[in-house]
Amino acid sequence: MLALMDSFQATIDADGRIEPRDAMPEGYRKTLIRQIAQHAHSEIIGMQPEGNWISRTPSLRRKAILMAKVQDEAGHGLYLYAAAETLGVDRAELLDLLHAGKQKYSSIFNYPTLTWADIGAIGWLVDGAAIVNQVPLCRCSYGPYARAMVRVCKEESFHQRQGFEILHTLCNGTEAQKAMAQDALDRWWWPSLMMFGPPDASSTHSEQSMAWGIKRHSNDELRQRFVDMTVPQADVLGIRVPDDGLRYDEETGHYSFTQPDFTELYEVVKGNGPCNEQRLAHRVKAHEDGAWVREAAAAYAGKQAQKKASAA
Amino acid sequence: MSGSGSLIEPLWEVFVRSRRGLSHVHVGSLHAPDATMALRNARDVYTRRQEGVSIWVVPAADITASSPDEKDEFFDPAGDKVYRHPTFYQVPEGVDHL
């Protein structure tokens, strides 16, 4: 066993990839299951705030796009559950943990989508932040997770662009439409910054995850990258990032910005966000309402197998 | 609540041929009650952007795999047979097309 662990460490040290049936420390396995499950849960819970607007899109074109995007989120969830299962857990088990509130999903999805502009803001900011988080995960040391992230990242860039396009259209519309875009940015800016997690100094899992090659950059580094990328885009839209402390630092080539209020993040993680209860209740209901479909499919499969057996 | 574990749908490994002339490549896995549903689900999950022209689904339980624990012993026999590679041979100056 010791030799096998040496081979794990050697693989990590050489920046190689760990594959499903390789020997790995229990902590590595557990960390990955927790992270991948949380990521998968975020994808499927993330369908809700956007699904909220499918029946009210301003045009048929927007409806088709939004449906495709929400379907992608379901697909991303499935890629990720499949990756988690290679670590020896069952998807059904993970869903039970989500439904029981024992595993988390990204706090960002506990905020409501009040206006159509929020759908733009989610694509631009939330998916933009997700991309910044996820691109380095394409090089994660665990093979199946990294491969799933490659697929996810390819698809996310459509998500981000469609969001930007929604806001760009609003910003070039009437005063009221532009104000709606500004309002969405005002509400989504801070929660988006929180998506990168607590500041490095108080991030509990970071150090070990870096050593294992699961995480490649610190929370603060990624947050900075997001701000640098996003502020010029807000300028193109002609709306204002709601941060009085925001300024471009010629010397460093980076924006300095105000940190979000992390007590809000901790509160939402604890379950006290505006939509926590609603999101989980809806998820559980959707799962229970779908039980008859799973039962019918299983019954049909059983009947077909029986027919085949008796014909043989 | 009827736990999601009450119905165990078998796991299927999915292989996609991205275009004619290429072989099927493993892309991931999914759960489905039977092969027909597995194919349909695989289409929806793994080829939403025309990533494939053909899909295989294989029950994961039916795959026999070499064990990573014995990878050294298992693959060792090929290790000392470098003469199987063309680069093992010295070709005199001026000899072309060899």
Side-chain angles (χ1 to χ4, degrees):
Chain A
M1 201 57 195
L2 257 179
L4 290 176
M5 285 305 161
D6 285 348
S7 110
F8 170 84
Q9 198 52 52
T11 305
I12 294 288
D13 293 345
D15 199 19
R17 296 294 176 264
I18 304 298
E19 293 295 341
R21 294 162 69 228
D22 289 343
M24 58 186 88
E26 200 43 34
Y28 181 81
R29 183 190 302 276
K30 278 195 177 146
T31 300
L32 277 169
I33 291 174
R34 181 184 56 77
Q35 181 172 337
I36 301 173
Q38 180 169 329
H39 198 158
H41 299 331
S42 303
E43 299 285 354
I44 62 166
I45 295 282
M47 296 166 75
Q48 291 185 38
E50 295 182 289
N52 180 34
W53 279 90
I54 287 180
S55 62
R56 295 178 287 165
T57 54
S59 71
L60 194 56
R61 174 179 181 269
R62 297 285 185 203
K63 191 201 282 277
I65 291 171
L66 189 56
M67 282 199 295
K69 179 176 190 294
V70 172
Q71 191 188 21
D72 271 355
E73 308 298 359
H76 296 176
L78 289 171
Y79 305 156
L80 288 160
Y81 285 121
E85 286 193 311
T86 64
L87 291 158
V89 284
D90 195 69
R91 185 179 76 194
E93 200 181 316
L94 299 178
L95 284 174
D96 285 344
L97 288 169
L98 168 67
H99 297 160
K102 289 180 182 159
Q103 279 183 342
K104 305 279 185 201
Y105 54 88
S106 177
S107 291
I108 193 80
F109 300 118
N110 289 317
Y111 292 87
T113 41
L114 303 177
T115 71
W116 170 248
D118 288 13
I119 299 304
I122 288 186
W124 175 44
L125 298 173
V126 176
D127 291 319
I131 290 172
V132 171
N133 267 328
Q134 288 170 351
V135 165
L137 285 173
C138 298
R139 293 186 298 115
C140 162
S141 63
Y142 188 59
Y145 191 25
R147 292 191 285 275
M149 291 324 299
V150 171
R151 300 184 69 87
V152 170
C153 285
K154 273 187 196 163
E155 302 184 354
E156 287 288 354
S157 76
F158 134 59
H159 297 180
Q160 195 192 14
R161 284 190 181 194
Q162 67 86 35
F164 188 83
E165 191 197 69
I166 288 173
L167 291 179
H168 193 252
T169 306
L170 289 174
C171 287
N172 288 285
T174 63
E175 275 308 306
Q177 286 172 325
K178 190 164 181 183
M180 190 190 281
Q182 179 66 59
D183 168 62
L185 174 57
D186 290 346
R187 283 180 292 110
W188 289 92
W189 176 254
W190 301 108
S192 298
L193 290 186
M194 294 174 205
M195 284 179 69
F196 298 94
D200 293 349
S202 49
S203 177
T204 39
H205 303 294
S206 284
E207 205 175 319
Q208 182 62 72
S209 286
M210 296 271 243
W212 276 331
I214 296 173
K215 209 178 153 114
R216 301 285 183 178
H217 305 281
S218 79
N219 295 353
D220 288 333
E221 259 173 76
L222 293 171
R223 200 172 354 254
Q224 181 71 54
R225 189 174 298 176
F226 173 74
V227 171
D228 288 345
M229 180 182 101
T230 308
V231 173
Q233 294 168 352
D235 294 341
V236 172
L237 292 175
I239 45 183
R240 182 185 166 274
V241 171
D243 177 0
D244 292 332
L246 186 75
R247 61 180 177 78
Y248 185 71
D249 186 333
E250 292 281 354
E251 255 173 54
T252 61
H254 295 291
Y255 286 89
S256 49
F257 60 97
T258 310
Q259 291 293 325
D261 173 10
F262 287 105
T263 53
E264 178 177 326
L265 174 66
Y266 301 134
E267 278 305 306
V268 181
V269 170
K270 266 196 267 172
N272 302 326
C275 300
N276 294 55
E277 275 175 45
Q278 178 191 336
R279 297 288 186 243
L280 202 56
H282 185 85
R283 172 63 215 148
V284 171
K285 182 174 185 300
H287 188 70
E288 285 174 354
D289 288 353
W292 72 271
V293 179
R294 294 188 293 277
E295 280 158 21
Y300 180 78
K303 208 169 82 181
Q304 293 301 308
Q306 227 167 17
K307 254 192 201 165
K308 214 173 163 185
S310 59
Chain B
M1 171 177 140
S2 63
S4 10
S6 58
L7 273 180
I8 302 292
E9 297 186 340
L11 187 68
W12 303 76
E13 297 297 336
V14 181
F15 299 79
V16 171
R17 182 201 295 288
S18 56
R19 57 186 164 86
R20 291 179 167 278
L22 297 178
S23 51
H24 288 74
V25 173
H26 183 244
V27 293
S29 58
L30 50 77
H31 288 276
D34 60 26
T36 313
M37 286 300 291
L39 264 185
R40 279 178 173 269
N41 291 352
R43 178 201 60 188
D44 291 345
V45 176
Y46 291 104
T47 62
R48 283 193 305 283
R49 287 175 175 76
Q50 299 182 295
E51 289 96 336
V53 294
S54 162
I55 300 176
W56 290 345
V57 288
V58 181
D62 289 351
I63 292 180
T64 308
S66 64
S67 161
D69 305 350
E70 55 185 27
K71 66 172 187 285
D72 294 341
E73 298 90 317
F74 194 72
F75 292 107
D76 257 358
D80 57 358
K81 297 180 180 60
V82 283
Y83 43 83
R84 281 180 170 151
H85 296 279
T87 46
F88 176 76
Y89 301 92
Q90 285 194 344
V91 177
E93 267 316 296
V95 178
D96 295 327
H97 310 297
L98 191 69

